[in-house]
Amino acid sequence: MAETLKLIEAAPASYPLAPVGLSEAAEALDPRFIWQRIEAYTAWRWSERAVEWVVEGPGCWSPPLAPVTVATVENWQSEAWQACTSAPSPFGGYDLAGSGPYRFTGVAGTDDDPPPDVLEAFRRLAEYMAAKPGKAGASSESVSAGSVTLSHNRSAEWLARAMINSGAADLLRRYRRT
């Protein structure tokens, strides 16, 4: 099995628009930040960008992003990249005969509108991240007024686990990296 040694993924020119119906606080968040979190969690890209992989063979290799269009395949020979062809793999992707390294360049992503489950994941993640965080650096708060005390505990990793705790991860399961 061939192994990916390096991935260079350019930033997209733009991300899809945020879904409608967000709260005022969630709408105030930069949508690029939410899309970047979603794309870090998934193998799918919902806006086009240039990509390049350096792969070491031999064996089968498939691009780890989707959707993807590979424009060129090159092999390192005599201290330079040389264009080459690669047989298709029975598992999808490419069957690399030699050890390489190989360089694949192309475009990942699509400019089609994201499907409804992805937009709902965006909404859940944005609403979760827009929630009132409490006092900076505090994992618990307690407020007393006479005989009434209100306590609130929050894990110190609440924001780092936003993808899972918001429910966005469940909606993105079919787009997940494998």
mmCIF file of all heavy atoms in Angstrom, residues 83-114:
data_model
loop_
_atom_site.group_PDB
_atom_site.id
_atom_site.type_symbol
_atom_site.label_atom_id
_atom_site.label_comp_id
_atom_site.label_asym_id
_atom_site.label_seq_id
_atom_site.Cartn_x
_atom_site.Cartn_y
_atom_site.Cartn_z
ATOM 1 N N ALA A 83 6.567 13.687 -15.910
ATOM 2 C CA ALA A 83 5.192 13.242 -16.087
ATOM 3 C C ALA A 83 5.163 11.731 -16.309
ATOM 4 O O ALA A 83 6.043 11.170 -16.958
ATOM 5 C CB ALA A 83 4.553 13.962 -17.264
ATOM 6 N N CYS A 84 4.170 11.076 -15.747
ATOM 7 C CA CYS A 84 4.033 9.630 -15.918
ATOM 8 C C CYS A 84 2.550 9.276 -15.907
ATOM 9 O O CYS A 84 1.699 10.109 -15.618
ATOM 10 C CB CYS A 84 4.793 8.872 -14.834
ATOM 11 S SG CYS A 84 4.116 9.046 -13.175
ATOM 12 N N THR A 85 2.268 8.043 -16.228
ATOM 13 C CA THR A 85 0.899 7.547 -16.137
ATOM 14 C C THR A 85 0.874 6.448 -15.094
ATOM 15 O O THR A 85 1.876 5.783 -14.846
ATOM 16 C CB THR A 85 0.398 6.996 -17.495
ATOM 17 O OG1 THR A 85 1.294 5.967 -17.918
ATOM 18 C CG2 THR A 85 0.324 8.092 -18.538
ATOM 19 N N SER A 86 -0.271 6.283 -14.496
ATOM 20 C CA SER A 86 -0.424 5.264 -13.464
ATOM 21 C C SER A 86 -1.680 4.464 -13.764
ATOM 22 O O SER A 86 -2.721 5.039 -14.125
ATOM 23 C CB SER A 86 -0.532 5.931 -12.094
ATOM 24 O OG SER A 86 -0.757 4.969 -11.103
ATOM 25 N N ALA A 87 -1.584 3.173 -13.610
ATOM 26 C CA ALA A 87 -2.744 2.304 -13.851
ATOM 27 C C ALA A 87 -3.787 2.545 -12.764
ATOM 28 O O ALA A 87 -3.443 2.854 -11.621
ATOM 29 C CB ALA A 87 -2.299 0.848 -13.839
ATOM 30 N N PRO A 88 -5.052 2.412 -13.121
ATOM 31 C CA PRO A 88 -6.082 2.548 -12.086
ATOM 32 C C PRO A 88 -6.028 1.366 -11.120
ATOM 33 O O PRO A 88 -5.677 0.242 -11.502
ATOM 34 C CB PRO A 88 -7.393 2.554 -12.869
ATOM 35 C CG PRO A 88 -7.069 1.952 -14.190
ATOM 36 C CD PRO A 88 -5.615 2.189 -14.438
ATOM 37 N N SER A 89 -6.347 1.635 -9.874
ATOM 38 C CA SER A 89 -6.375 0.598 -8.843
ATOM 39 C C SER A 89 -7.744 -0.070 -8.838
ATOM 40 O O SER A 89 -8.753 0.598 -9.082
ATOM 41 C CB SER A 89 -6.102 1.232 -7.479
ATOM 42 O OG SER A 89 -6.448 0.345 -6.440
ATOM 43 N N PRO A 90 -7.812 -1.357 -8.539
ATOM 44 C CA PRO A 90 -9.121 -2.008 -8.447
ATOM 45 C C PRO A 90 -9.955 -1.474 -7.284
ATOM 46 O O PRO A 90 -11.146 -1.694 -7.212
ATOM 47 C CB PRO A 90 -8.780 -3.488 -8.264
ATOM 48 C CG PRO A 90 -7.391 -3.511 -7.761
ATOM 49 C CD PRO A 90 -6.714 -2.284 -8.305
ATOM 50 N N PHE A 91 -9.321 -0.741 -6.370
ATOM 51 C CA PHE A 91 -10.008 -0.177 -5.209
ATOM 52 C C PHE A 91 -10.340 1.293 -5.399
ATOM 53 O O PHE A 91 -10.728 1.970 -4.464
ATOM 54 C CB PHE A 91 -9.143 -0.348 -3.958
ATOM 55 C CG PHE A 91 -8.694 -1.764 -3.752
ATOM 56 C CD1 PHE A 91 -7.378 -2.120 -3.958
ATOM 57 C CD2 PHE A 91 -9.598 -2.751 -3.396
ATOM 58 C CE1 PHE A 91 -6.956 -3.431 -3.797
ATOM 59 C CE2 PHE A 91 -9.189 -4.061 -3.233
ATOM 60 C CZ PHE A 91 -7.868 -4.408 -3.427
ATOM 61 N N GLY A 92 -10.153 1.815 -6.605
ATOM 62 C CA GLY A 92 -10.292 3.244 -6.849
ATOM 63 C C GLY A 92 -8.936 3.887 -6.645
ATOM 64 O O GLY A 92 -8.067 3.352 -5.960
ATOM 65 N N GLY A 93 -8.703 4.992 -7.252
ATOM 66 C CA GLY A 93 -7.414 5.650 -7.120
ATOM 67 C C GLY A 93 -6.407 5.100 -8.103
ATOM 68 O O GLY A 93 -6.735 4.776 -9.245
ATOM 69 N N TYR A 94 -5.175 4.938 -7.642
ATOM 70 C CA TYR A 94 -4.054 4.627 -8.530
ATOM 71 C C TYR A 94 -3.265 3.439 -8.018
ATOM 72 O O TYR A 94 -3.112 3.240 -6.814
ATOM 73 C CB TYR A 94 -3.127 5.847 -8.634
ATOM 74 C CG TYR A 94 -3.847 7.056 -9.159
ATOM 75 C CD1 TYR A 94 -4.522 7.921 -8.299
ATOM 76 C CD2 TYR A 94 -3.893 7.318 -10.521
ATOM 77 C CE1 TYR A 94 -5.212 9.015 -8.788
ATOM 78 C CE2 TYR A 94 -4.574 8.409 -11.019
ATOM 79 C CZ TYR A 94 -5.235 9.254 -10.136
ATOM 80 O OH TYR A 94 -5.922 10.337 -10.630
ATOM 81 N N ASP A 95 -2.717 2.659 -8.953
ATOM 82 C CA ASP A 95 -1.837 1.540 -8.628
ATOM 83 C C ASP A 95 -0.429 1.967 -9.015
ATOM 84 O O ASP A 95 -0.103 2.071 -10.199
ATOM 85 C CB ASP A 95 -2.264 0.289 -9.394
ATOM 86 C CG ASP A 95 -1.535 -0.951 -8.916
ATOM 87 O OD1 ASP A 95 -0.821 -0.869 -7.892
ATOM 88 O OD2 ASP A 95 -1.683 -1.997 -9.566
ATOM 89 N N LEU A 96 0.394 2.247 -8.038
ATOM 90 C CA LEU A 96 1.749 2.752 -8.270
ATOM 91 C C LEU A 96 2.714 1.574 -8.344
ATOM 92 O O LEU A 96 2.874 0.834 -7.379
ATOM 93 C CB LEU A 96 2.150 3.714 -7.152
ATOM 94 C CG LEU A 96 1.170 4.868 -6.927
ATOM 95 C CD1 LEU A 96 1.604 5.718 -5.734
ATOM 96 C CD2 LEU A 96 1.026 5.706 -8.178
ATOM 97 N N ALA A 97 3.348 1.422 -9.506
ATOM 98 C CA ALA A 97 4.207 0.260 -9.739
ATOM 99 C C ALA A 97 5.559 0.390 -9.045
ATOM 100 O O ALA A 97 6.082 -0.563 -8.485
ATOM 101 C CB ALA A 97 4.407 0.058 -11.240
ATOM 102 N N GLY A 98 6.165 1.581 -9.086
ATOM 103 C CA GLY A 98 7.489 1.766 -8.501
ATOM 104 C C GLY A 98 7.411 2.401 -7.125
ATOM 105 O O GLY A 98 6.343 2.661 -6.592
ATOM 106 N N SER A 99 8.591 2.655 -6.574
ATOM 107 C CA SER A 99 8.623 3.226 -5.229
ATOM 108 C C SER A 99 8.443 4.736 -5.222
ATOM 109 O O SER A 99 8.137 5.327 -4.207
ATOM 110 C CB SER A 99 9.934 2.853 -4.536
ATOM 111 O OG SER A 99 11.031 3.373 -5.261
ATOM 112 N N GLY A 100 8.645 5.371 -6.360
ATOM 113 C CA GLY A 100 8.430 6.828 -6.423
ATOM 114 C C GLY A 100 9.627 7.592 -5.910
ATOM 115 O O GLY A 100 10.763 7.136 -6.066
ATOM 116 N N PRO A 101 9.417 8.732 -5.337
ATOM 117 C CA PRO A 101 8.120 9.269 -4.964
ATOM 118 C C PRO A 101 7.336 9.788 -6.165
ATOM 119 O O PRO A 101 7.896 10.093 -7.208
ATOM 120 C CB PRO A 101 8.454 10.407 -4.012
ATOM 121 C CG PRO A 101 9.818 10.839 -4.413
ATOM 122 C CD PRO A 101 10.517 9.610 -4.919
ATOM 123 N N TYR A 102 6.016 9.875 -5.969
ATOM 124 C CA TYR A 102 5.100 10.379 -6.972
ATOM 125 C C TYR A 102 4.508 11.699 -6.470
ATOM 126 O O TYR A 102 4.321 11.872 -5.269
ATOM 127 C CB TYR A 102 3.950 9.397 -7.219
ATOM 128 C CG TYR A 102 4.395 8.109 -7.840
ATOM 129 C CD1 TYR A 102 4.794 7.035 -7.055
ATOM 130 C CD2 TYR A 102 4.401 7.957 -9.220
ATOM 131 C CE1 TYR A 102 5.199 5.841 -7.624
ATOM 132 C CE2 TYR A 102 4.801 6.757 -9.800
ATOM 133 C CZ TYR A 102 5.200 5.706 -8.997
ATOM 134 O OH TYR A 102 5.598 4.528 -9.572
ATOM 135 N N ARG A 103 4.186 12.577 -7.411
ATOM 136 C CA ARG A 103 3.512 13.825 -7.052
ATOM 137 C C ARG A 103 2.206 13.898 -7.844
ATOM 138 O O ARG A 103 2.208 13.788 -9.064
ATOM 139 C CB ARG A 103 4.388 15.037 -7.360
ATOM 140 C CG ARG A 103 3.699 16.357 -6.997
ATOM 141 C CD ARG A 103 4.636 17.529 -7.039
ATOM 142 N NE ARG A 103 5.077 17.809 -8.409
ATOM 143 C CZ ARG A 103 5.879 18.818 -8.735
ATOM 144 N NH1 ARG A 103 6.333 19.645 -7.796
ATOM 145 N NH2 ARG A 103 6.238 19.003 -9.993
ATOM 146 N N PHE A 104 1.124 14.060 -7.113
ATOM 147 C CA PHE A 104 -0.202 14.212 -7.690
ATOM 148 C C PHE A 104 -0.647 15.649 -7.446
ATOM 149 O O PHE A 104 -0.570 16.136 -6.318
ATOM 150 C CB PHE A 104 -1.209 13.273 -7.015
ATOM 151 C CG PHE A 104 -0.951 11.817 -7.272
ATOM 152 C CD1 PHE A 104 -0.002 11.125 -6.538
ATOM 153 C CD2 PHE A 104 -1.667 11.141 -8.242
ATOM 154 C CE1 PHE A 104 0.230 9.779 -6.767
ATOM 155 C CE2 PHE A 104 -1.443 9.793 -8.478
ATOM 156 C CZ PHE A 104 -0.485 9.115 -7.742
ATOM 157 N N THR A 105 -1.113 16.336 -8.481
ATOM 158 C CA THR A 105 -1.638 17.686 -8.316
ATOM 159 C C THR A 105 -3.030 17.737 -8.941
ATOM 160 O O THR A 105 -3.334 17.008 -9.883
ATOM 161 C CB THR A 105 -0.742 18.746 -8.992
ATOM 162 O OG1 THR A 105 -0.595 18.423 -10.370
ATOM 163 C CG2 THR A 105 0.627 18.804 -8.343
ATOM 164 N N GLY A 106 -3.849 18.597 -8.378
ATOM 165 C CA GLY A 106 -5.199 18.734 -8.897
ATOM 166 C C GLY A 106 -6.018 19.704 -8.078
ATOM 167 O O GLY A 106 -5.481 20.606 -7.424
ATOM 168 N N VAL A 107 -7.317 19.468 -8.084
ATOM 169 C CA VAL A 107 -8.273 20.329 -7.392
ATOM 170 C C VAL A 107 -9.156 19.462 -6.515
ATOM 171 O O VAL A 107 -9.680 18.435 -6.969
ATOM 172 C CB VAL A 107 -9.145 21.114 -8.398
ATOM 173 C CG1 VAL A 107 -10.215 21.913 -7.692
ATOM 174 C CG2 VAL A 107 -8.277 22.020 -9.254
ATOM 175 N N ALA A 108 -9.324 19.879 -5.273
ATOM 176 C CA ALA A 108 -10.246 19.212 -4.361
ATOM 177 C C ALA A 108 -11.398 20.160 -4.080
ATOM 178 O O ALA A 108 -11.215 21.373 -4.002
ATOM 179 C CB ALA A 108 -9.547 18.843 -3.059
ATOM 180 N N GLY A 109 -12.570 19.586 -3.916
ATOM 181 C CA GLY A 109 -13.733 20.382 -3.556
ATOM 182 C C GLY A 109 -14.668 20.600 -4.718
ATOM 183 O O GLY A 109 -14.393 20.244 -5.859
ATOM 184 N N THR A 110 -15.800 21.195 -4.383
ATOM 185 C CA THR A 110 -16.828 21.497 -5.367
ATOM 186 C C THR A 110 -17.450 22.830 -5.004
ATOM 187 O O THR A 110 -17.473 23.203 -3.833
ATOM 188 C CB THR A 110 -17.905 20.395 -5.408
ATOM 189 O OG1 THR A 110 -18.905 20.767 -6.338
ATOM 190 C CG2 THR A 110 -18.546 20.176 -4.051
ATOM 191 N N ASP A 111 -17.927 23.523 -5.977
ATOM 192 C CA ASP A 111 -18.615 24.778 -5.708
ATOM 193 C C ASP A 111 -20.127 24.583 -5.627
ATOM 194 O O ASP A 111 -20.877 25.552 -5.585
ATOM 195 C CB ASP A 111 -18.256 25.830 -6.770
ATOM 196 C CG ASP A 111 -16.857 26.390 -6.549
ATOM 197 O OD1 ASP A 111 -16.393 26.381 -5.394
ATOM 198 O OD2 ASP A 111 -16.234 26.842 -7.515
ATOM 199 N N ASP A 112 -20.583 23.336 -5.600
ATOM 200 C CA ASP A 112 -22.007 23.049 -5.412
ATOM 201 C C ASP A 112 -22.401 23.435 -3.986
ATOM 202 O O ASP A 112 -21.565 23.451 -3.074
ATOM 203 C CB ASP A 112 -22.299 21.561 -5.618
ATOM 204 C CG ASP A 112 -22.047 21.110 -7.054
ATOM 205 O OD1 ASP A 112 -21.989 21.986 -7.950
ATOM 206 O OD2 ASP A 112 -21.894 19.900 -7.268
ATOM 207 N N ASP A 113 -23.680 23.708 -3.780
ATOM 208 C CA ASP A 113 -24.158 24.015 -2.438
ATOM 209 C C ASP A 113 -23.993 22.792 -1.541
ATOM 210 O O ASP A 113 -24.247 21.666 -1.977
ATOM 211 C CB ASP A 113 -25.632 24.420 -2.466
ATOM 212 C CG ASP A 113 -25.850 25.775 -3.135
ATOM 213 O OD1 ASP A 113 -24.903 26.597 -3.126
ATOM 214 O OD2 ASP A 113 -26.954 26.011 -3.648
ATOM 215 N N PRO A 114 -23.584 22.994 -0.288
ATOM 216 C CA PRO A 114 -23.470 21.857 0.626
ATOM 217 C C PRO A 114 -24.840 21.217 0.857
ATOM 218 O O PRO A 114 -25.870 21.903 0.837
ATOM 219 C CB PRO A 114 -22.952 22.490 1.926
ATOM 220 C CG PRO A 114 -22.346 23.783 1.508
ATOM 221 C CD PRO A 114 -23.132 24.235 0.317
#
